Amino acid sequence: MPSNLHKALLTWYQHHKRKLPWRGESDAYRILLSEMLLQQTRVEQAIPYYQRFLQQFPNLETLAQASQEDVLKAWQGCGYYARARNLHKLAQQLVFAGQALPCSSVELLALPGIGPYTAAAVASMAFGEPVATVDGNVRRVLSRLFAWEKPSPKQVQETADTLMAQLVNRRGDRDTPGNWNQALMELGATVCTPKNPSCGACPVAPFCQGKNHPERYPAAQKRLQKSLEMVALVLQGPAGVHLELRQGPVLGGLWGVPMEEDPGALERLLARFGLDKAEPVGAVRHDFTHRKLNIQVYKAPYEAKENPRQRPLSRLDRKILKLVETKSLRLL
DNA sequence: AAGACGGGGTG
DNA sequence: CACCCAGTCTT
């Protein structure tokens, strides 16, 4: 691979990079936060969370002092809540031990919620370590550059490592590991997109073996969605609604209305609260990546006192409460 | 190697 | 609707 690839991409990046809140940031905590937010999440979705989160938890210490519930409240609606739980846990681990964020990718990798991508991102952008970030963008850009239909993770990682190693031989101000990683990802996010890539505007098209059939590289992933029938029970009284803390991996740490999976869902819910009937309100559909939920919503009067605004809730639970709210208003 | 894990954008 | 997103952790 000619080293002009590096020059072409870095020059393009210098002139075309988007202005993002964490761009040019050198504080490792802020970079880590941005990278955690960006895991499987689009830039536009992450930005408001980044701003609000930093306002509330400006550094590792303030985050460590906070309750998990407050941290999840700041994360609510952003999805993949294990990210927030892990970030909080990581802050507590380090602060309790009197340590700052480690500066090597190997040490970062050992922390909860930090995998190969995030470790490389923080190490390269905050500390200048020459380690390659491999994310969905890099995988796609390299797949097209080398016309790989089914790239193996190993193949992608090794190639990204090689390109980073070649960068280290360059001497310009722009030729930093952080810039290189971000340039590759920025190209994937804005030019070498999954659908309708802008090959005509691509700075590395001269080096690209896949530009005539960009949509073939890499081949699309298959994923199946299971349909699930569920029942949710909204218990409400004058003082509020009944919410419970969700345990386990699904929406863990967030609060929500009682919900069960069919068959027998309604019966179990009624039994749990000693009720003999509830009023059907309507249905809510909600998709996860691997689930299609169809939720029948019921309501019943109950001595309940939670205020949903004061608890971290998922979009799913907000949707359910919203439905009950609008139906109730129509009765007035 | 496969699933699980949220929510939203795009074609 | 299908696929993807600056991934990570658990089977």
Side-chain angles (χ1 to χ4, degrees), chain A residues 28-48:
Chain A
Y29 170 73
R30 294 181 174 219
I31 293 174
L32 173 61
L33 171 62
S34 70
E35 297 300 343
M36 296 282 288
L37 278 167
L38 289 167
Q39 290 169 11
Q40 294 292 283
T41 304
R42 288 165 200 281
V43 163
E44 307 75 46
Q45 189 186 349
I47 287 175

Side-chain angles (χ1 to χ4, degrees), chain A residues 211-247:
Chain A
K211 63 184 166 195
N212 292 328
H213 302 282
E215 66 290 345
R216 293 210 322 230
Y217 315 106
Q221 312 263 341
K222 280 251 184 290
R223 70 188 74 190
L224 19 146
Q225 266 185 328
K226 245 177 69 179
S227 292
L228 248 46
E229 298 296 322
M230 319 253 320
V231 175
L233 182 56
V234 178
L235 300 167
Q236 57 179 339
V241 301
H242 180 79
L243 297 176
E244 49 196 24
L245 181 60
R246 296 202 186 291
Q247 310 279 5

Side-chain angles (χ1 to χ4, degrees), chain A residues 63-110:
Chain A
L63 180 59
Q65 298 306 327
S67 68
Q68 177 181 277
E69 182 163 334
D70 283 343
V71 175
L72 284 168
K73 182 79 184 161
W75 205 276
Q76 78 172 352
C78 197
Y80 282 161
Y81 299 98
R83 295 182 293 177
R85 299 195 301 268
N86 281 328
L87 186 58
H88 183 230
K89 188 202 258 184
L90 168 168
Q92 293 195 323
Q93 273 182 22
L94 290 173
V95 170
F96 180 72
Q99 295 168 353
L101 275 170
C103 57
S104 75
S105 58
V106 171
E107 293 169 286
L108 286 162
L109 190 55

Side-chain angles (χ1 to χ4, degrees), chain A residues 1-10 12 141-147 163 166 170 180 187 199 202-212:
Chain A
M1 178 59 58
S3 86
N4 277 341
L5 172 74
H6 291 79
K7 181 176 182 185
L9 183 54
L10 286 163
W12 170 85
V141 169
L142 296 186
S143 294
R144 287 179 178 159
L145 270 174
F146 300 103
L163 290 171
Q166 291 169 352
R170 301 178 60 86
W180 172 251
L187 186 73
C199 297
C202 180
V204 299
F207 310 103
C208 185
Q209 299 174 40
K211 63 184 166 195
N212 292 328

Side-chain angles (χ1 to χ4, degrees), chain A residues 10-65:
Chain A
L10 286 163
T11 301
W12 170 85
Y13 178 64
Q14 180 178 17
H15 295 295
H16 294 88
K17 60 185 170 192
R18 293 168 292 179
K19 292 196 199 335
L20 303 176
W22 47 83
R23 196 76 96 191
E25 186 56 63
S26 58
D27 178 54
Y29 170 73
R30 294 181 174 219
I31 293 174
L32 173 61
L33 171 62
S34 70
E35 297 300 343
M36 296 282 288
L37 278 167
L38 289 167
Q39 290 169 11
Q40 294 292 283
T41 304
R42 288 165 200 281
V43 163
E44 307 75 46
Q45 189 186 349
I47 287 175
Y49 285 93
Y50 177 81
Q51 312 274 31
R52 267 180 281 143
F53 200 94
L54 276 184
Q55 217 164 328
Q56 202 172 350
F57 312 110
N59 51 49
L60 209 56
E61 290 71 31
T62 53
L63 180 59
Q65 298 306 327

Side-chain angles (χ1 to χ4, degrees), chain A residues 286-297:
Chain A
H286 190 79
D287 289 355
F288 292 167
T289 302
H290 56 289
R291 290 279 146 79
K292 291 174 85 67
L293 306 183
N294 190 20
I295 304 147
Q296 303 300 325
V297 180

